[in-house]
Amino acid sequence: MKLDSKAPEGPLAEKWTKHKFNLKLVNPANKRKYDVIVVGTGLAGASAAASLGELGYNVKAFCFQDSPRRAHSIAAQGGINAAKNYQNDGDSIYRLFYDTIKGGDYRAREANVYRLAEVSVNIIDQCVAQGVPFAREYGGLLSNRSFGGAQVSRTFYARGQTGQQLLLGAYGALNRQIANGKVKMYTRSEMLDVVIVDGKARGIITRDLITGKIESHSAHAVLLCTGGYGNVFFLSTNAKGSNVTAAWRAHKKGALFANPCFTQIHPTCIPVTGDHQSKLTLMSESLRNDGRVWVPKTARPGLKAADAVNIPESERDYFLERKYPSFGNLVPRDVASRNAKYVCDEGRGVGTTGLAVFLDFSDAIKRDGEATIRAKYGNLFDMYAQITGDNPYKSPMMIFPAVHYTMGGLWVDYNLMTTVPGLYALGEANFSDHGANRLGASALMQGLADGYFVIPYTLGDYLAGMPYEKVSTDRPEFKEAIDTVQSRINKLLSIKGKKTVDQFHRELGLTMWDYCGMSRSEKGLKFAKEKIQKLKEEFWSNVAVLGGAGELNQELEKALRVADFIELGELMVDDALNRSESCGGHFREESATPDGEAKRKDDEFAYVAAWEYKGENQPEALHKEELIFENVKLTQRSYK
Amino acid sequence: MKITLKVWRQKDANSKGAFKTYEHSHVSQDMSFLEMLDVLNNELVQKGEESIAFDHDCREGICGMCSLYINGRPHGPLQTTTCQLHMRSFKDGETITIEPWRAKAFPVVKDLVVDRSAFDRIQRAGGYVSVNTGGVPDANEIAIPKKIADEAFDAATCIGCGACVAACKNASAMLFVSAKVSQFALLPQGQPERKERVEKMVAQMDDEGFGACTNTKACEAECPKGISVANIARMNREYFSAITSSYEVMAKGGGD
């Protein structure tokens, strides 16, 4: 299979304009003859469904939550980048493009990233017109801040709830199209398979989560806007329901899965307190602007935050300041995360589990006063106190890294189409724009760029070449997909084993975290692969799923998702094994500089690894999309 | 910690429900309330008993999916969402009663899960600014006084969980509806549709069977996001202003 990115020729800044002109259009009167399925209603899905409905297409939108407003985009805190240069501080589309390519450690496609930067300015205009209440200055204009180490202030924000406000804006636009009859909304519906007819994606199979009814839906194109797969680690900052099933089912029907091992680990999360832990909570990394990260020089198992104040300065190891004197506590996410793991691996971690490091504000409070710190971080300190019961004004916070975002996803071309014609992937569900690591405040930007400003153009080009005829859901392809889904459900219900779905999920997550997380080695990955294969076998013979198929059955929902996570886990390990370089968010132990820092191998790995499913228990086939950099020069990062 | 739970179990929307008592001895004070239920559910499944169904998703207090009426209060004893409530807010040996939201407009689906689609239908009636994608002015062409923007933001932080309805003896949805009406009544972007919006949203609210507001302010006291009842006052003013001066009335020559 030859992977054609369809990235247009010509100068970078003209590619998208030229491409838009070359795309075929669907006559306004003919748009109503086409049906489009949109799965997922986060930023990418809601914006796509609304925009396509406005254009006149008939849209069917699906979400597994009880309302489209609950999609996990809602939880994004920090902000959204846009190259508006409102601050007159030297930002430009090219600079945002450059920062994103560099932040992704040169593993993203230039043309896509430039387009993302280009449409970023339209996103802010759109959201403001919808009434999204962004932060403003006293003069009434929009406020910006610098985010994630950027040297310009290009991040727009709505207090710590930017994702919520953007999603509610898109939800409003979606609601308007539902009211207009252009979008039909299916809530509490989970997509369990994609249906291919004559080589094209022509529909999906869903399960109504209330009645358990398996339903078929046909359309002229299918858009997967189903988010990332961070929950493969069980513990992540994702919502509990976030899952890979839609993308994974598409993968098994022919869509290539790109760079699955690229996951982002966020350094400032609230640590695990015990085996009952169900998810991890992120705190904005802006905390590292004033907090100092440390652990005791010698191991003190079980050290509590309240007792940390008694440890004298001479016995503290401010390990980031020590190892990276010029960046100190502000080293990038992956460096901060990895070093926290190292000190914990050495046994110097703190707290009841030993999997935590201190983030200490006492110096900042002494220097600036408690009121100043409260004004900057009050909401984060309150959140921390609420969850942990500790007072971070009096004793240091405890933090530990957690999985936050997945850069990998379904392979898509410049038009956001997967390798299955008519099947598209938008937002976090695709792999396209963030390379090996995502820049802060870029996830919201990408979701909305794809939904508002890319797919409305590129989808038309595909549909213009499609006949109007609808395919009937009575066709054998639909029946067959339904049978597969049903037999899978029946199988899960018939096992009646001893272990709960959560137990399997937790085991999978631990394996992934230990061997396919921030630091990886060939030996560890091979061990993980074996473990996952055994876990899969055990899952299908010993999982306990009670209740029936024809009712609200949350254990069954989880089981279907975990079954797919197990398979994805194995592919992530394969991908990590193949990519024997340190790159972006992950560190490969065999690929280090003499002083132990990450070493990227551009001559061997400047490509997208796209995996093709070859059948049950068969090794997947690797396809490479070589990345060609015509505009930026590849450099190694250094934070010493 | 050891606790006793009295949990509402109901097979589906059409069955009769009842309380069931569980002794739960594996509780740590660091658990969130939902993690406490996770642990119980895992124990139930291992004993061959069906788990307790409850809604949840983000578990960081923002998606609005979790609910639960705990010891007679929506989201329990603290003014936060259930997912942000931790077991350290309860005493060892305590008996905790868990019910679904109680409101006619929120029918029970199963156990502790209710149907809140009425909220979506109200938003659909007018909770947006009618602009299409593209063709909008530059973001900084719309200057908004910071104070107004902040007030609109405060109203816009509603997470749509339904605690306001559950807390109200009349099961009124006025706080929820007024939060969206206020956001757009305050902002310049909301002005063109200001009158129709409030009329349509209030009409839909009434159609859904929510009760009237009698100003007990229970909603504000229980709202996990601290949405103010001042929004209800604003919505009432918006509504009366709209129905007495709507374009239809004016077109007919001023309410003849």
Side-chain angles (χ1 to χ4, degrees):
Chain A
M1 187 183 300
K2 170 100 178 67
L3 289 173
D4 178 6
S5 73
K6 300 211 172 75
E9 299 288 317
L12 193 59
E14 290 164 28
K15 282 180 197 280
W16 179 230
T17 307
K18 198 176 128 200
H19 189 70
K20 278 193 286 187
F21 180 73
N22 288 332
L23 292 171
K24 284 183 283 224
L25 300 172
V26 177
N27 179 307
N30 289 336
K31 289 201 175 84
R32 73 173 76 94
K33 295 175 184 164
Y34 291 113
D35 301 334
V36 181
I37 284 170
V38 179
V39 187
T41 58
L43 288 178
S47 61
S51 303
L52 295 171
E54 289 162 10
L55 286 172
Y57 298 111
N58 306 309
V59 180
K60 283 182 172 186
F62 298 82
C63 69
F64 68 78
Q65 298 92 342
D66 72 333
S67 162
R69 67 180 292 157
R70 313 228 192 266
H72 194 53
S73 305
I74 199 126
Q77 298 171 3
I80 176 167
N81 286 332
K84 281 285 196 186
N85 192 30
Y86 280 164
Q87 305 308 321
N88 196 32
D89 60 356
D91 199 15
S92 63
I93 288 168
Y94 193 87
R95 190 177 294 281
L96 177 53
F97 152 76
Y98 181 80
D99 288 355
T100 307
I101 281 275
K102 183 173 175 231
D105 225 4
Y106 309 99
R107 292 294 176 265
R109 205 186 277 152
E110 275 191 346
N112 282 59
V113 177
Y114 192 87
R115 175 178 64 190
L116 176 67
E118 197 177 339
V119 302
S120 69
V121 297
N122 305 113
I123 296 170
I124 301 304
D125 298 343
Q126 189 63 37
C127 296
V128 166
Q130 288 168 346
V132 169
F134 283 117
R136 284 177 185 270
E137 304 292 350
Y138 283 101
L141 301 185
L142 291 161
S143 174
N144 290 118
R145 61 182 171 199
S146 158
F147 198 79
Q151 287 172 302
V152 292
S153 291
R154 64 159 75 99
T155 304
F156 294 78
Y157 61 101
R159 269 178 235 165
Q161 284 144 267
T162 316
Q164 180 198 28
Q165 294 309 315
L166 294 176
L167 184 63
L168 293 181
Y171 165 77
L174 174 64
N175 274 336
R176 178 167 159 251
Q177 293 313 308
I178 298 172
N180 286 348
K182 289 311 293 180
V183 176
K184 185 156 170 42
M185 186 68 227
Y186 296 82
T187 58
R188 294 203 197 259
S189 281
E190 183 141 22
M191 171 182 152
L192 294 179
D193 212 347
V194 59
V195 181
I196 316 276
V197 178
D198 299 331
K200 296 188 170 86
R202 293 306 301 265
I204 61 169
I205 307 297
T206 59
R207 180 169 180 270
D208 180 320
L209 299 183
I210 302 293
T211 62
K213 200 165 167 258
I214 307 296
E215 293 168 344
S216 306
H217 301 273
S218 90
H220 294 85
V222 175
L223 276 49
L224 302 183
C225 312
T226 48
Y229 48 87
N231 273 347
V232 69
F233 291 88
F234 184 69
L235 290 180
S236 83
T237 65
N238 283 6
K240 290 298 285 174
S242 301
N243 68 83
V244 78
T245 289
W248 191 251
R249 295 285 122 199
H251 174 57
K252 292 183 95 166
K253 285 283 177 84
L256 266 51
F257 208 108
N259 299 334
C261 80
F262 284 168
T263 53
Q264 183 171 59
I265 315 268
H266 201 291
T268 48
C269 299
I270 299 176
V272 172
T273 55
D275 289 339
H276 53 262
Q277 192 89 25
S278 64
K279 84 152 268 157
L280 296 168
T281 303
L282 174 83
M283 293 182 297
S284 168
E285 63 180 335
S286 63
L287 288 169
R288 286 195 284 142
N289 287 328
D290 283 298
R292 296 180 71 196
V293 177
W294 67 276
V295 289
K297 279 188 178 161
T298 49
R300 288 169 188 259
L303 181 65
K304 289 195 179 89
D307 300 325
V309 286
N310 303 324
I311 309 267
E313 280 295 319
S314 60
E315 285 171 40
R316 298 178 179 196
D317 178 14
Y318 294 89
F319 55 93
L320 291 178
E321 298 172 21
R322 172 172 58 81
K323 287 177 76 173
Y324 307 94
S326 63
F327 278 71
N329 296 296
L330 291 173
V331 290
R333 291 176 176 181
D334 58 314
V335 180
S337 300
R338 194 157 59 240
N339 282 283
K341 178 186 188 305
Y342 289 158
V343 295
C344 293
D345 288 350
E346 289 166 17
R348 294 193 288 147
V350 297
T352 46
T353 61
L355 293 174
V357 298
F358 289 128
L359 180 64
D360 200 328
F361 291 88
S362 54
D363 287 340
I365 290 172
K366 246 180 265 161
R367 183 184 66 226
D368 301 336
E370 193 176 309
T372 306
I373 296 301
R374 191 183 297 277
K376 273 191 187 169
Y377 308 113
N379 61 335
L380 293 168
F381 276 45
D382 290 349
M383 181 170 91
Y384 183 86
Q386 174 129 46
I387 291 173
T388 63
D390 283 344
N391 178 355
Y393 293 102
K394 299 278 170 247
S395 53
M397 283 186 176
M398 284 193 271
I399 56 166
F400 200 63
V403 174
H404 180 50
Y405 188 88
T406 50
M407 283 76 69
L410 293 174
W411 185 90
V412 290
D413 63 16
Y414 190 67
N415 294 322
L416 304 182
M417 200 196 285
T418 67
T419 47
V420 175
L423 182 68
Y424 292 78
L426 282 64
E428 193 180 351
N430 74 29
F431 87 103
S432 72
D433 296 353
H434 306 298
N437 206 357
R438 184 179 58 76
L439 211 62
S442 285
L444 304 182
M445 175 172 70
Q446 189 223 337
L448 290 179
D450 287 359
Y452 283 135
F453 296 111
V454 179
I455 200 71
Y457 293 89
T458 59
L459 183 66
D461 183 62
Y462 173 75
L463 292 176
M466 286 282 284
Y468 304 132
E469 284 73 39
K470 299 176 194 300
V471 295
S472 162
T473 52
D474 293 332
R475 285 183 65 114
E477 292 88 345
F478 281 90
K479 300 262 185 245
E480 204 180 296
I482 285 193
D483 287 347
T484 315
V485 164
Q486 242 150 11
S487 64
R488 198 172 156 79
I489 290 171
N490 294 342
K491 167 82 179 151
L492 283 170
L493 291 170
S494 68
I495 297 168
K496 299 191 193 307
K498 293 268 179 292
K499 263 166 85 169
T500 65
V501 178
D502 282 356
Q503 284 174 309
F504 281 103
H505 196 173
R506 202 178 287 276
E507 262 180 60
L508 172 70
L510 268 178
T511 303
M512 296 304 292
W513 178 250
D514 285 345
Y515 303 104
C516 198
M518 350 178 208
S519 189
R520 301 144 182 203
S521 70
E522 184 176 341
K523 193 172 152 227
L525 288 165
K526 284 188 169 155
F527 177 71
K529 189 171 162 77
E530 244 172 73
K531 258 186 111 160
I532 295 168
Q533 285 170 340
K534 276 190 202 135
L535 192 72
K536 183 176 170 185
E537 240 179 78
E538 195 196 346
F539 179 85
W540 285 101
S541 57
N542 194 28
V543 70
V545 186
L546 305 177
E551 59 184 356
L552 175 66
N553 186 340
Q554 293 176 328
E555 291 296 319
L556 175 62
E557 292 167 26
K558 284 194 287 189
L560 285 161
R561 294 169 188 164
V562 171
D564 290 337
F565 275 133
I566 293 174
E567 296 182 8
L568 167 76
E570 195 181 336
L571 182 64
M572 288 171 71
V573 168
D574 285 339
D575 187 43
L577 267 170
N578 171 66
R579 192 171 283 277
S580 61
E581 64 162 347
S582 295
C583 170
H586 79 264
F587 184 72
R588 181 64 183 254
E589 286 160 28
E590 296 90 344
S591 182
T593 62
D595 54 352
E597 294 302 319
K599 188 170 162 229
R600 216 177 56 226
K601 296 182 185 165
D602 292 328
D603 44 343
E604 285 178 69
F605 292 103
Y607 64 78
V608 176
W611 298 87
E612 183 189 5
Y613 180 74
K614 289 298 221 183
E616 216 52 48
N617 299 318
Q618 297 295 316
E620 299 218 357
L622 172 64
H623 301 273
K624 297 176 184 178
E625 181 199 337
E626 297 297 333
L627 292 167
I628 299 148
F629 295 93
E630 295 170 334
N631 299 277
V632 299
K633 197 170 157 286
L634 278 59
T635 54
Q636 290 278 356
R637 300 184 299 162
S638 171
Y639 301 98
K640 290 280 177 182
Chain B
M1 289 171 73
K2 282 185 183 170
I3 52 169
T4 304
L5 293 171
K6 286 173 72 183
V7 183
W8 185 259
R9 302 292 315 248
Q10 182 172 334
K11 192 168 169 30
D12 53 39
N14 304 317
S15 308
K16 227 178 141 206
F19 281 106
K20 192 154 182 206
T21 304
Y22 301 91
E23 300 299 330
H24 193 346
S25 51
H26 299 109
V27 180
S28 117
Q29 60 167 14
D30 287 329
M31 286 176 181
S32 73
F33 197 83
L34 298 184
E35 284 168 348
M36 178 276 290
L37 287 177
D38 290 340
V39 173
L40 176 66
N41 272 343
N42 268 282
E43 289 178 5
L44 289 178
V45 171
Q46 280 174 320
K47 281 194 287 186
E49 210 177 312
E50 266 191 57
S51 57
I52 300 161
F54 61 91
D55 268 330
H56 64 98
D57 201 24
C58 79
R59 297 204 179 189
E60 46 190 281
I62 193 77
C63 76
M65 187 118 175
C66 68
S67 52
L68 305 190
Y69 207 65
I70 301 163
N71 286 344
R73 294 184 65 182
H75 296 303
L78 304 179
Q79 198 181 352
T80 184
T81 55
T82 297
C83 65
Q84 296 299 293
L85 176 66
H86 285 72
M87 295 313 291
R88 68 180 78 92
S89 293
F90 298 90
K91 290 194 239 17
D92 194 15
E94 193 171 340
T95 297
I96 303 171
T97 307
I98 314 175
E99 299 165 76
W101 278 175
R102 293 186 299 181
K104 193 176 111 201
F106 290 160
V108 173
V109 172
K110 181 178 182 176
D111 296 341
L112 304 170
V113 176
V114 299
D115 178 353
R116 285 170 290 194
S117 54
F119 269 13
D120 279 334
R121 288 189 292 274
I122 294 172
Q123 294 297 338
R124 238 168 257 169
Y128 42 77
V129 175
S130 296
V131 289
N132 282 355
T133 303
V136 297
D138 183 272
N140 260 353
E141 276 180 35
I142 308 170
I144 303 171
K146 188 176 185 318
K147 204 168 172 286
I148 298 290
D150 287 348
E151 212 174 330
F153 177 87
D154 287 339
T157 56
C158 166
I159 57 173
C161 65
C164 48
V165 173
C168 178
K169 62 177 181 167
N170 307 321
S172 168
M174 290 283 273
L175 193 67
F176 169 76
V177 182
S178 69
K180 192 50 75 179
V181 167
S182 287
Q183 179 193 345
F184 290 132
L186 286 160
L187 294 173
Q189 299 94 312
Q191 298 314 307
E193 298 164 287
R194 185 169 175 177
K195 290 174 181 176
E196 302 95 298
R197 178 178 300 112
V198 66
E199 284 188 72
K200 285 181 182 165
M201 290 181 78
V202 167
Q204 187 66 38
M205 173 181 83
D206 290 341
D207 281 354
E208 297 289 350
F210 291 104
C213 172
T214 50
N215 296 313
T216 66
K217 300 185 189 176
C219 52
E220 182 186 81
E222 298 292 1
C223 173
K225 296 293 145 182
I227 306 283
S228 159
V229 290
N231 292 304
I232 296 182
R234 183 181 292 108
M235 181 166 82
N236 283 331
R237 194 178 65 221
E238 290 289 317
Y239 184 72
F240 290 120
S241 157
I243 56 168
T244 51
S245 68
S246 71
Y247 299 119
E248 285 75 18
V249 174
M250 286 192 283
K252 276 190 252 164
D256 54 347

